[in-house]
Amino acid sequence: MSPALLLVLLLSAGQHGGQGAIGCWRSCQRHVQDQSLRTRVCQSCVTSGRADSWVLELARVKPGPASRAALRSALTDPEWRVRWGALRAQAKAQGLLERRVLADWVAEAPARDEVLACLTAARIAAEEGQSTASFLKDAGAKGGAAAARIWARREAIRDALEVEVYAQEASVRGEALLHLATFLGRAPARVLLEAMARRPESGDGIAASALLRVAEKQGGSVGRMLVLEAKPEDRVLINRLFAVYSQDMEPLRKGLGSLDVAERRAAVQSLRSYGPLAQRELERVLGDTEVSVRRLAARGLAESEGLSLMEVAGRRIRADEVPLATRRVWLEVAATDKGCEPFLLDVANDTRLLADVRGEAVAWLAECEGRARPRFQVLSTFLRDAQALVRAGAVRALARPRSPEGDAAVGAALGDSAPEVVVAALGVVGQQRQRVQGETAVALLDSQHAQVREAAARALEQLGRAQDVKPLARTLREDGVASVRVAAAEALGSLGGPFAASALSEALARDPDSHVQHVARRGLVRLGFRPP
């Protein structure tokens, strides 16, 4: 083998199949004795990287003594995919069904090859998610006899697959465990616990990784698998597995505190495979600053309970002990799921819930896709709700899509008696840049409610009207609430102009609040000045 070819094989190793390109190459070299035939078929290992690619390539070659000898030899290969590939190649050459060729081989195999043939059939069937009896049901006259012979050697098959469960290669372990569980018709966790009971504790790390591989492939979690299978007599074995998984999760716990969003997201994704074992970590992540990380954690928590996202969200939203911030996260996540509108409407109409929870549910209706009715029609009832926070949520939901009815409702909300509703309306005015409401926003800089004055300043910033600089400067100079002055300073830094710069310079020199001073300095820099 040339150095260049060896490099190619190493780069493609393990990309597909059980052994990858190197395993495929070695298998081809071992079974194909004819040099010209070897040159032709072994090259497929480089291009496909599958363990059985050379056998499938051999099936395209005109049958002859050399190819038939290679196929017979391939039936003894340690990789089951190669053996199955040889049978498929034979079936193609003979014009027979692949399952019939498999059944004939198993039924007619001499005693020395019996276990190998039965193991091959068991793995082929398991790969399709079937028992061998089901898989060989329509495999011709010898299908029943083959299935019976396989089941008679089930202990030998179990032993052979358990050896692979404890193999060095992680991908081999998970596949072997899943095949064994499918063959026996039992849960992977139960099969693994039985295997652990016959082996020393030093192999627990390998066993734990095998179950983790199965969980990842099936989209489940090891914690859920073990919880469903746990019996009192399994306590010691399960605790041993839990100890391994707890150690494995330590780097993931550190990843949750990373400043890199992608790293936090990857850590949460990995934690989902641990299910209930990672519940504490996933609950903590619900408070993450990045929405995609929060959503991923919520879905992981739902999976760990074996319930749908909506079922878990409904429980958490209605649980008295769950903080409001956490309930908001569940509403946010539910709004991204299919069927979100009926769910959110159910929460919004539940008068037993706090008004802020109902209002959040109404607001998140804006994010629902595939709605059955026009948005304003859905929101109109909530715009007249007796609870101010519910009305505020309905106004927030009007932000998109924009409509004439929505604009009218936002205009009416600007005159609502509840400051929460007015704040919501100002938020929509700013988002939609409704300049027609600019004078109303200016007037609301004099509201008796600080939260309204602050929202008005932020809306004026988004409207971007030069004539609003003077009223904002007055607010920055005279308002008694620091958060309002901060909003005014930020707006002035965005709008710009000589009058804005003068107001910011005065705030930097005289305002008693350090945050206001900081925002004023930042605004001046943005406008091209270098304050002291």
Side-chain angles (χ1 to χ4, degrees), residues 404-423:
E405 300 93 339
D407 286 357
V410 170
L414 288 171
D416 198 282
S417 60
E420 298 90 347
V421 179
V422 179
V423 168

Side-chain angles (χ1 to χ4, degrees), residues 86-146:
L87 291 169
R88 292 165 64 192
Q90 289 181 16
K92 182 177 181 181
Q94 298 171 20
L96 299 174
L97 294 175
E98 294 174 351
R99 298 190 187 195
R100 176 179 172 180
V101 173
L102 172 63
D104 290 349
W105 180 47
V106 172
E108 297 169 359
R112 68 177 184 277
D113 299 329
E114 181 184 20
V115 173
L116 187 66
C118 291
L119 175 62
T120 304
R123 301 204 71 160
I124 293 168
E127 184 72 4
E128 297 295 322
Q130 299 180 38
S131 67
T132 48
S134 296
F135 190 78
L136 297 173
K137 182 179 179 181
D138 300 319
K142 296 182 180 178

